């Protein structure tokens, strides 16, 4: 009887831990176990190329001082689909070290926490192009929810130019387009025969090596191209909510664009106790998503 009572009490304590904020002293194995039931990965394709980009965004911090946020972006190019997502997550997929891996987010190391903080400033969604077939899937966090959209792929109306330039030793041609309210100029290389590019930019007769919007706020620039055979994963998250692309864009602008957001990124959440929280030196992780103590002014990639 005492043994049964002990097991019941332990189970209750575990459930309580999952429902409230937990301290950083919790072991990595315990943290991983908390999220194991929520997130798993399926391999949907195999990459032939892995492209690394440096992404830059010019904005202001919580004190209205000018800053440039930076992160490394990975583009996996497979036979059927592509995945654009933080390079840190690709590196962790390669290492497959579950001790430092929590739902795709590195937590234990100081370096991992710094990278998480940098990425939280950049507001970069994950994009799977041509998955499912003929569609584009986007995953993004607008806490307390993780949202996912699946939309029919619509070809971008590119305007091609005769202008050329060399990037990383590759001769590139120039093209421009309007995408979700922003004007973009890109440079692509026909010697790398793929129509892929970073984020949602794609559809040219060669890999996009550089892309800048006309406001000078956003820029992607090639860092490295490697022939790496690796699985392209699709993450499945039990707390993901389905929505439309238009609704996700509006929700981002409404929440992140609020004047209170830079000083208090969780200003819009009234019941923080209902979320899984893990504190660390650089901020905290809520529902598997890193949240810095302060944020930067939101510069949306998509205006509409």
């Amino acid at each position: 009887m005492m043994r049964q009572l002990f097991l019941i009490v332990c189970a209750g304590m575990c459930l309580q831990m999952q429902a409230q904020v937990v301290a950083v002293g919790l072991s990595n194995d315990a943290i991983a176990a908390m999220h194991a039931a929520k997130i798993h990965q399926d391999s949907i394709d195999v990459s032939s190329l892995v492209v690394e980009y440096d992404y830059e965004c010019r904005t202001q911090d919580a004190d209205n001082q000018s800053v440039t946020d930076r992160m490394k972006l990975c583009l996996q190019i497979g036979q059927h689909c592509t995945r654009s997502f933080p390079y840190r997550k690709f590196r962790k997929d390669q290492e497959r070290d579950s001790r430092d891996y929590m739902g795709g987010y590195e937590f234990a190391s100081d370096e991992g926490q710094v990278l998480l903080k940098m990425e939280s400033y950049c507001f970069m969604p994950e994009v799977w192009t041509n998955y499912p077939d003929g569609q584009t899937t986007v995953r993004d966090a607008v806490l307390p929810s993780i949202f996912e959209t699946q939309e029919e792929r619509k070809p971008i109306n590119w305007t091609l130019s005769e202008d050329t330039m060399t990037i990383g030793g590759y001769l590139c041609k120039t093209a421009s387009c309007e995408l979700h309210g922003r004007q973009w100029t890109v440079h692509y290389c026909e010697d790398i025969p793929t129509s892929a590019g970073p984020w949602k930019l794609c559809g040219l007769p060669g890999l996009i090596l550089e892309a800048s919007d006309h406001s000078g706020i956003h820029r992607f620039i090639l860092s490295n191209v490697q022939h790496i055979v690796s699985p392209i994963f699709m993450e499945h998250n039990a707390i993901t909510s389905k929505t439309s692309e238009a609704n996700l864009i509006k929700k981002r602008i409404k929440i992140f664009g609020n004047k209170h957001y830079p000083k208090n990124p969780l200003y819009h959440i009234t019941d923080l106790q209902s979320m899984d929280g893990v504190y660390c030196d650089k901020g905290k992780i809520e529902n598997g998503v890193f949240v810095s103590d302060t944020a930067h002014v939101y510069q949306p990639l998509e205006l509409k």
Side-chain angles (χ1 to χ4, degrees):
M1 178 65 70
M2 290 299 294
R3 183 174 182 273
Q4 290 177 339
L5 180 61
F6 175 76
L7 292 175
I8 292 173
V9 171
C10 288
M13 291 175 63
C14 290
L15 290 173
Q16 185 178 13
M17 286 172 62
Q18 291 184 350
Q20 66 184 17
V21 175
V22 296
V24 71
L26 201 62
S27 72
N28 294 327
D29 289 340
I31 293 170
M34 285 172 57
H35 294 267
K38 290 184 177 179
I39 301 170
H40 71 274
Q41 294 178 313
D42 288 334
S43 177
I44 58 174
D45 201 351
V46 177
S47 72
S48 55
L49 283 178
V50 173
V51 186
E52 182 181 346
Y53 295 93
D54 291 321
Y55 167 71
E56 299 178 351
C57 176
R58 295 183 180 178
T59 185
Q60 299 82 43
D61 63 17
D63 297 318
N64 292 320
Q65 300 298 309
S66 296
V67 293
T68 299
D69 294 323
R70 295 178 173 87
M71 68 172 286
K72 287 193 175 295
L73 192 70
C74 178
L75 175 66
Q76 285 182 290
I77 302 173
Q79 183 177 356
H80 304 292
C81 68
T82 68
R83 183 187 183 191
S84 175
F85 65 118
Y87 191 82
R88 171 191 54 81
K89 293 187 71 174
F90 171 75
R91 188 178 66 184
K92 292 306 296 179
D93 284 343
Q94 294 293 99
E95 295 174 1
R96 307 301 292 167
D97 186 352
S98 61
R99 292 172 301 173
D100 293 337
Y101 197 78
M102 186 177 67
Y105 291 87
E106 188 179 71
F107 176 74
S109 70
D110 290 339
E111 178 192 7
Q113 292 180 24
V114 170
L115 292 175
L116 283 167
K117 187 168 187 176
M118 292 171 62
E119 289 170 15
S120 73
Y121 291 154
C122 289
F123 304 96
M124 182 64 63
E126 294 193 47
V127 180
W128 290 261
T129 301
N130 202 40
Y131 179 80
D133 286 346
Q135 298 187 359
T136 296
T137 298
V138 175
R139 172 109 18 94
D140 200 7
V142 184
L143 291 174
S145 298
I146 310 296
F147 289 99
E148 183 179 295
T149 72
Q150 286 185 356
E151 304 280 346
E152 180 183 355
R153 290 183 65 191
K154 297 178 181 178
I156 298 173
N157 185 20
W158 290 103
T159 300
L160 305 184
S161 168
E162 296 299 322
D163 296 340
T164 61
M165 67 179 300
T166 300
I167 299 174
Y170 295 99
L171 179 64
C172 296
K173 293 185 177 180
T174 304
S176 60
C177 73
E178 187 274 334
L179 184 61
H180 291 291
R182 288 196 182 275
Q183 300 291 326
W184 290 86
T185 295
V186 310
H187 300 99
Y188 63 98
C189 178
E190 292 181 330
D191 291 334
I192 306 177
T194 174
S195 61
W199 179 53
K200 295 182 179 181
L201 296 164
C202 60
L204 287 164
L207 177 68
I208 295 174
L209 303 192
E210 182 182 28
S212 302
D213 82 304
H214 288 194
S215 70
I217 293 175
H218 302 282
R219 181 174 183 249
F220 301 89
I221 179 67
L222 175 76
S223 176
N224 197 14
V225 179
Q226 301 180 77
H227 290 274
I228 297 178
V229 176
S230 60
I232 298 178
F233 288 116
M234 177 66 188
E235 292 180 357
H236 299 277
N237 191 320
I239 61 174
T240 298
S241 299
K242 303 289 186 178
T243 189
S244 68
E245 181 181 63
N247 284 341
L248 179 55
I249 293 171
K250 290 178 182 178
K251 187 173 290 291
R252 286 195 201 108
I253 292 174
K254 179 180 179 181
I255 299 297
F256 299 149
N258 187 283
K259 64 180 180 180
H260 298 294
Y261 182 82
K263 291 185 179 295
N264 181 15
L266 297 179
Y267 76 93
H268 59 291
I269 301 177
T270 57
D271 185 15
L272 287 175
Q273 295 300 316
S274 66
M275 302 172 64
D276 292 336
V278 179
Y279 285 97
C280 60
D281 292 340
K282 308 299 179 181
K284 52 184 170 289
I285 294 177
E286 301 283 358
N287 285 355
V289 177
F290 183 86
V291 181
S292 180
D293 293 331
T294 60
H296 291 170
V297 174
Y298 181 47
Q299 304 291 349
L301 281 162
E302 298 162 300
L303 300 174
K304 60 181 182 179

